[in-house]
Every structure is written in C-alpha cells, then in structure tokens.
Amino acid sequence: CSIRLGGARAMAKATGDNNKLATLNLSYNSFANDVLEILVNSLKRNVTLKELNLEGNHISCRYNEEIHEKKEKLFGKDGW
C-alpha cells in the first residue's frame, strides 16, 4: 500500500477529529516526511489515539526524533 499526499489529506481530515480512534496502523505504506507531517498535524487534535504504528515507512530521523520529543504533547501522557 502507498499513501500519497491526496490520500494523506483525506486521512488527516477523517482521523483528526475522530473521537473513537484508539489504534492506527500505518505500517509499510511507503510514505515519507511530507505525508507524515500532514498526518501528525491532524492527529494533534485527536484525543483518543493510544497507538500509532509507523513501522516500515520512509521517515527521516528528524521526524522520528521530533515525534518522540513531542509525544506527550501529541498523544498525551498515557498515549503511545
């Protein structure tokens, strides 16, 4: 599977304000930093997400470090 910018924008709209989403598996979707940035920005609004799997994507270390540094802000104390 491969998520491109258009798909990422649609997914961001659907997941950002979803109040039932607890787990999101986006592993092995061949997306890169541009797609990740769109998704992360939308998921900042999601207060129910507890698990996010990004394994096997083409994400640079800069975003991996940023996500880990801001994980509490993005996903709350008990999330991810």
Side-chain angles (χ1 to χ4, degrees), residues 6-18 38-39 42-43 45:
R9 288 184 186 110
M11 185 178 297
K13 184 177 179 183
T15 60
D17 296 319
N18 185 318
I38 290 168
L39 293 172
S42 75
L43 290 173
R45 297 188 316 269

Side-chain angles (χ1 to χ4, degrees), residues 31-78:
F31 60 71
N33 293 346
D34 54 351
V35 172
L36 179 63
E37 187 173 345
I38 290 168
L39 293 172
V40 167
N41 285 333
S42 75
L43 290 173
K44 288 178 185 178
R45 297 188 316 269
N46 185 298
V47 296
T48 58
L49 188 67
K50 299 292 183 193
E51 184 178 328
L52 175 63
N53 184 349
L54 297 172
E55 181 180 5
N57 289 292
H58 305 285
I59 303 166
S60 74
C61 292
R62 181 173 75 92
Y63 282 95
N64 285 338
E65 289 171 12
E66 182 178 332
I67 288 171
H68 286 291
E69 288 173 7
K70 296 180 180 179
K71 69 181 178 182
E72 187 172 314
K73 181 179 178 185
L74 293 173
F75 302 107
K77 281 185 178 180
D78 299 326

